[in-house]
Amino acid sequence: METIVLDIGETLVRDDRHWASWADWLGVPPHTLGALVGAAVAQGREATDALRILRPDMDVEEAYRARAAAGRGEHLDESDLYQDVRPALAELRAAGIRVVVAGNGTVRAGELLRALDLPADLVVTSGEWGVRKPDPEFFARVAEVADAAPEATLYVGDHPADDLFPAAAAGLRTAHLRRGPYGHWWAEHPDVVETADFRIDALTELVGLVASASSSSSSSASATSGVAPEAEGETGVRRGVLRSVRQVY
C-alpha cells in the first residue's frame, strides 16, 4: 500500500456541530433533526433529506448561503476531529505512506481543514474539484492525486454508497469504517462485507493493516480482526449495491 485516501465527514470529522447548527437555524431541537437524519440513513436516503422533511420547499444550497451571510456559516476546529485522526495520520506518514484527505465538502470546508494543519500530503474537497461523490469523476480525480497505482491506493470511508462501492468500481482498494450513522447501520450488510477489502473500527488500525497487507498478499482474516475476506471466484472490480440503498452509479 503506497497511498491512503480518507473521506471527511464521519471519517475524520464528527458531524455533531454540523447538524446542531442546522437545527438551530431551523428552530427545532437538535434531537428532532438527529432522529430524522437517523431515519434517512436507515432508509438509505441522503442525510440532507432530513432537512427537507422539516422544510419541504427548502433549497439546501440557498439556505447554506443564507446562513453564511447571517454569520452562521460553517465552522470547524480541533474539537470536531475524531481523537484517532492525528495519531493515525502521523503514524501513516512516518511509515512512508502518502496521506490524502478527499471527500464531499464545500470550498470553505477545505479551507477550514487545511487550517488545522493535519499530517496529510493533500487536503481537498468536492467543492474545490467541482464534482461530488459518488460520481465516478470524483474517484478518477482521487486516482490522479494518489500518485500510486489503483491497487496500491486505499480509500477509507464510512458510507457504502458514496465511499465504498464507487471507490471499488474505480479499481481502488477499500476500507469500510464503522463510524457515524451510515458506518454503523450498514456495517454488516452482505454487500459491504463482500465489497470491502478491509473493515475497521478505528483509523489507528490502518497502520497495522498496511503492514499486514504489505507482508502478505494472500492473507485473509475474519471481520473481528478488521479484514473482510475476498469473495471467491470473482475477478476485476467488485461492485456491490445495497438492496435497501439507492443505486447511485
Side-chain angles (χ1 to χ4, degrees):
M1 208 82 67
E2 299 175 21
T3 299
I4 290 186
V5 187
L6 300 107
D7 171 44
I8 298 172
E10 290 300 344
T11 295
L12 303 185
V13 176
R14 298 159 53 104
D15 282 348
D16 309 44
R17 187 197 301 271
H18 172 78
W19 293 115
S21 64
W22 271 113
D24 182 59
W25 179 256
L26 296 174
V28 300
H31 78 270
T32 297
L33 181 54
L36 292 173
V37 169
V41 169
Q43 294 171 19
R45 298 166 61 180
E46 294 280 1
T48 50
D49 283 353
L51 301 174
R52 299 183 183 92
I53 292 172
L54 291 168
R55 301 289 186 274
D57 297 328
M58 171 183 282
D59 182 320
V60 176
E61 292 299 323
E62 183 178 319
Y64 170 84
R65 291 190 291 270
R67 285 181 51 193
R72 297 165 67 179
E74 286 183 90
H75 180 79
L76 189 64
D77 62 31
E78 192 71 22
S79 67
D80 295 298
L81 296 177
Y82 278 98
Q83 291 186 349
D84 59 356
V85 171
R86 285 195 182 277
L89 271 56
E91 285 188 67
L92 289 170
R93 292 188 81 188
I97 301 296
R98 176 171 169 80
V99 176
V100 175
V101 175
N104 284 346
T106 63
V107 172
R108 174 62 175 160
E111 296 169 350
L112 293 169
L113 278 169
R114 286 189 291 275
L116 293 178
D117 195 24
L118 295 171
D121 297 283
L122 175 68
V123 175
V124 66
T125 65
S126 60
E128 294 167 323
W129 274 349
V131 60
R132 288 178 58 84
K133 296 182 296 182
D135 192 308
E137 179 58 29
F138 180 94
F139 289 93
R141 298 291 296 272
V142 167
E144 290 176 8
V145 301
D147 286 344
E151 60 271 18
T153 301
L154 179 71
Y155 193 86
V156 183
D158 64 296
H159 197 307
D162 285 356
D163 299 326
L164 177 61
F165 301 153
L172 308 177
R173 302 193 75 182
T174 58
H176 181 254
L177 176 62
R178 188 195 297 262
R179 176 174 286 176
Y182 286 100
H184 282 286
W185 185 260
W186 297 107
E188 302 303 325
H189 191 285
D191 290 344
V192 171
V193 175
E194 177 185 342
T195 303
D197 292 297
F198 308 99
R199 292 186 292 142
I200 60 176
D201 294 312
L203 296 180
T204 47
E205 295 177 39
L206 290 171
V207 178
L209 181 154
V210 168
S212 176
S214 300
S215 64
S216 175
S217 60
S218 61
S219 64
S220 63
S222 67
T224 56
S225 68
V227 182
E230 297 284 345
E232 295 183 0
E234 292 187 342
T235 58
V237 176
R238 285 163 297 142
R239 185 169 185 166
V241 177
L242 294 177
R243 289 187 293 273
S244 301
V245 173
R246 67 194 186 284
Q247 184 172 352
V248 291
Y249 58 91

